C-alpha cells in the first residue's frame, strides 16, 4: 500500500460532471490504485492533504487546511479535497482515465464562530470547567469551577517546587549553549534576551526529565584578546585607546583592578605587560559577567574556554578527524572543510595559509568536544548577528556524523 493509498479514499459514486475536468495531474499525488475500473466522473476524496501540495495553492486554502486539522480534535468534519476521474487534456479517445485536479478545491466551509463553538463544547466537558463563553471572533472566556481552582491551589502548595515536573523528556542528554558573549566587555541589555530565553529552556527541559547541561562558551582566544589587553594597558599608562581597541569607562575600571594586583604592570615592556594585563583583565571581566548573570538569576553548569581547545591540541585533532572522514581538503596552502556538501553556501577555511587556525576551526573542535562529552543533542542559541552560523554549524554536525 502506498502513502497515497493511505491518505486517499474512493468516495461514493457522485454523478459525473456535465463537462469532465481535463487538467494536469497533481505532482504530489501518484495515481492511487483501485481507480482504473471506476467510471468517468468518479470523485476521489483526499484527506490529510500534504503541506507540499497546499503550498502550491493559495495561502488562504493552506490556512483553512491547517485550521481543519486543529478543530478535527473537537469533532468538526475533516476537510475534503476532491478530484474527478477524467482523461487528460488532449488525450486521444479511449486513453486511460486518471484522477485530474484543479485548484478548484471543494472545502466544506468553516467559520470562526463554528470553530469557537466546537472548541467550547469540548472544553465544557473538561473537569473543573464551570462555563465556556464564546466572546467575539477568536476569543473564549473560560470560567473555572471554584472548588476545582481551590483544589489546584492546594495541590500546588502540597507538591511544592516539584509541581509541574514530569518525565516526558527523560533519556535525552542535551547541551544547551546560550549568551556566550565575548569576555572583552560587560553584558548589555541585548544579552538579557538570550539569558532569559536560554535559562527558561534549561528549566523546562530539566523539569521534564531531560539531562540538560547549560554551557557558556568563552571566546578567550585570538586577536580580540590581544586588542583587549592593549586597551587596558593603554589606560594604565594614560594613553589613548589603540586603533581597533576597546574604548569605554569599563576599560578604566579594569585597568584599576589590574593596577591593584600588579602595580608595576604599566612599567613593564609591552612583550611582558600584554600577557600580564590580558590575564588579569580577562579574569576581572569574566567575573563581572558571572556576577551580572547571577544577579539576573542565571547560572551555568559549564564555563568552557576556547583557549583550552587551542592549548590542548583539540583544534588540530578536529581537523585530523574530519580529514579521516573525507571532508577536509587542501587548496592554496590553506586547509578547508567541504561544507558545501552539506548545504553551506561555500567551503570554509579551517587553517589559513600562514598556519593560523580560523574561528571556524575552533567551532568545529568545540562541536566535537560536545559530542565527545556524550551530548546526544546540542542546542545553540545564536545572537542576531550570528545568523550566518546556522548552515556552518549544520555542516559541521553533518561532517562529524
Amino acid at each position: 500500500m502506498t502513502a497515497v493509498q493511505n491518505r486517499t479514499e474512493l468516495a461514493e459514486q457522485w454523478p459525473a460532471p456535465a463537462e469532465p475536468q481535463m487538467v494536469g495531474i497533481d505532482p504530489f499525488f501518484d495515481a492511487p490504485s483501485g481507480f482504473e475500473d471506476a467510471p468517468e466522473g468518479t470523485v476521489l476524496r483526499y484527506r490529510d492533504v500534504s503541506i507540499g501540495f497546499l503550498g502550491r495553492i493559495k495561502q488562504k486554502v493552506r490556512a483553512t487546511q491547517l485550521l481543519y486539522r486543529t478543530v478535527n480534535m473537537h469533532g468538526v468534519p475533516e476537510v475534503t479535497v476532491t478530484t474527478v476521474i477524467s482523461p487528460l487534456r488532449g488525450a486521444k479517445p479511449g486513453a486511460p482515465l486518471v484522477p485530474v485536479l484543479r485548484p478548484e478545491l471543494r472545502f466544506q466551509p468553516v467559520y470562526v464562530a463554528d470553530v469557537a463553538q466546537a472548541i467550547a463544547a469540548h472544553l465544557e466537558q473538561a473537569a473543573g470547567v464551570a462555563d465556556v463563553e464564546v466572546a467575539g471572533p477568536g476569543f473564549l472566556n473560560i470560567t473555572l469551577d471554584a472548588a476545582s481552582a481551590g483544589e489546584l491551589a492546594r495541590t500546588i502548595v502540597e507538591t511544592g517546587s516539584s509541581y509541574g515536573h514530569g518525565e516526558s523528556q527523560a533519556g535525552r542528554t542535551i547541551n544547551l549553549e546560550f549568551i556566550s558573549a565575548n569576555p572583552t566587555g560587560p553584558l548589555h541589555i541585548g544579552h538579557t534576551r538570550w539569558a532569559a530565553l536560554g535559562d527558561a529552556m534549561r528549566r523546562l527541559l530539566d523539569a521534564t526529565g531531560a539531562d540538560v547541561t547549560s554551557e557558556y562558551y568563552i571566546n578567550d582566544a585570538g586577536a580580540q584578546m590581544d586588542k583587549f589587553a592593549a586597551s587596558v594597558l593603554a589606560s594604565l599608562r594614560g594613553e589613548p585607546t589603540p586603533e581597533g581597541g576597546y574604548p569605554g569607562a569599563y576599560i578604566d575600571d579594569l585597568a584599576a583592578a589590574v593596577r591593584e594586583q600588579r602595580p608595576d604592570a604599566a612599567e613593564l615592556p609591552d612583550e611582558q605587560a600584554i600577557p600580564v594585563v590580558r590575564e588579569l583583565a580577562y579574569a576581572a571581566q569574566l567575573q563581572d559577567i558571572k556576577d551580572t548573570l547571577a544577579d539576573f538569576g542565571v547560572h551555568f553548569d559549564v564555563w568552557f574556554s576556547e583557549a583550552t581547545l587551542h592549548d590542548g591540541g583539540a583544534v588540530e585533532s578536529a581537523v585530523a578527524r574530519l580529514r579521516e572522514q573525507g571532508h577536509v581538503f587542501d587548496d592554496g596552502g590553506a586547509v578547508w572543510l567541504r561544507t558545501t556538501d552539506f548545504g553551506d553556501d561555500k567551503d570554509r577555511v579551517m587553517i589559513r595559509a600562514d598556519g593560523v587556525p580560523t574561528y571556524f576551526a575552533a567551532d568545529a573542535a568545540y562541536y566535537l568536544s560536545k559530542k565527545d562529552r556524550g551530548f546526544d543533542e546540542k542546542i545553540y542559541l545564536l545572537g542576531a548577528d550570528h545568523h550566518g552560523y546556522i548552515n556552518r554549524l549544520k555542516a559541521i554536525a553533518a561532517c562529524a556524523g
Side-chain angles (χ1 to χ4, degrees):
M1 179 175 288
T2 67
V4 171
Q5 288 174 278
N6 288 336
R7 63 173 180 255
T8 307
E9 294 181 347
L10 283 173
E12 64 272 14
Q13 302 298 304
W14 290 1
E19 294 184 6
Q21 302 177 35
M22 298 181 182
V23 296
I25 297 177
D26 170 53
F28 286 92
F29 294 104
D30 297 324
S33 63
F35 76 88
E36 293 88 350
D37 299 328
E40 184 173 341
T42 298
V43 173
L44 298 182
R45 180 174 297 164
Y46 294 94
R47 303 189 311 167
D48 188 23
V49 179
S50 71
I51 294 298
F53 164 72
L54 293 169
R56 291 177 57 85
I57 58 180
K58 295 180 180 179
Q59 184 70 24
K60 180 175 69 174
V61 177
R62 182 170 64 170
T64 303
Q65 171 67 8
L66 296 178
L67 177 64
Y68 264 100
R69 287 183 175 175
T70 300
V71 299
N72 277 348
M73 298 183 297
H74 308 291
V76 175
E78 187 169 358
V79 67
T80 298
V81 181
T82 60
T83 63
V84 178
I85 296 293
S86 303
L88 285 176
R89 174 179 295 172
K92 296 180 179 179
L97 300 178
V98 295
V100 295
L101 176 68
R102 270 192 189 280
E104 299 167 358
L105 306 180
R106 303 176 185 177
F107 285 92
Q108 176 181 348
V110 171
Y111 302 98
V112 172
D114 297 330
V115 176
Q117 290 290 353
I119 296 175
H122 179 78
L123 290 175
E124 285 173 346
Q125 306 304 314
V129 175
D131 182 59
V132 181
E133 175 191 8
V134 178
F139 294 93
L140 294 173
N141 290 331
I142 303 173
T143 303
L144 299 180
D145 178 82
S148 175
E151 179 63 21
L152 177 61
R154 184 183 68 82
T155 300
I156 294 173
V157 171
E158 289 182 350
T159 307
S161 60
S162 62
Y163 177 78
H165 288 219
E167 296 298 322
S168 65
Q169 304 304 308
R172 297 178 63 185
T173 305
I174 302 171
N175 180 284
L176 175 61
E177 181 208 330
F178 56 103
I179 305 178
S180 298
N182 291 339
T184 54
L187 297 181
H188 54 68
I189 192 66
H191 294 127
T192 60
R193 176 182 183 182
W194 304 117
L197 177 61
D199 197 59
M201 291 178 63
R202 179 194 65 78
R203 292 169 186 263
L204 286 170
L205 288 168
D206 182 66
T208 50
D211 181 6
V212 58
T213 297
S214 59
E215 186 156 313
Y216 189 116
Y217 183 52
I218 312 168
N219 299 111
D220 55 356
Q224 64 177 3
M225 295 304 297
D226 290 333
K227 293 179 180 179
F228 171 66
S231 301
V232 176
L233 181 59
S235 177
L236 273 171
R237 293 172 172 172
E239 299 171 354
T241 303
E243 183 178 356
Y246 294 87
Y250 79 95
I251 292 293
D252 296 332
D253 294 337
L254 291 173
V258 171
R259 183 181 294 108
E260 185 175 342
Q261 297 184 64
R262 285 294 302 266
D264 63 332
E267 285 72 41
L268 294 174
D270 286 357
E271 62 273 14
Q272 297 179 27
I274 289 294
V276 170
V277 172
R278 179 172 51 214
E279 179 181 354
L280 296 177
Y282 159 67
Q285 184 56 66
L286 183 60
Q287 188 59 52
D288 178 76
I289 291 173
K290 292 181 178 181
D291 292 343
T292 299
L293 291 173
D295 291 341
F296 197 59
V298 175
H299 303 274
F300 284 90
D301 299 314
V302 175
W303 293 80
F304 193 101
S305 164
E306 179 191 353
T308 62
L309 296 173
H310 296 274
D311 297 342
V315 173
E316 291 79 5
S317 175
V319 173
R321 288 169 62 177
L322 293 172
R323 188 185 291 277
E324 288 175 2
Q325 295 176 3
H327 303 302
V328 171
F329 66 97
D330 300 302
D331 184 46
V335 178
W336 300 69
L337 186 65
R338 191 176 286 105
T339 55
T340 51
D341 287 350
F342 302 96
D344 200 1
D345 58 342
K346 61 181 180 180
D347 295 327
R348 303 287 171 174
V349 176
M350 300 191 78
I351 308 295
R352 299 184 183 93
D354 60 5
V356 178
T358 63
Y359 283 118
F360 181 72
D363 290 339
Y366 183 44
Y367 177 87
L368 290 172
S369 168
K370 292 181 179 182
K371 184 177 181 181
D372 292 344
R373 285 182 281 149
F375 294 109
D376 300 324
E377 299 177 67
K378 307 149 194 78
I379 300 176
Y380 291 78
L381 294 189
L382 300 174
D385 57 342
H386 283 68
H387 58 85
Y389 275 64
I390 296 175
N391 284 340
R392 301 182 208 177
L393 290 173
K394 287 182 177 180
I396 290 173
C399 290

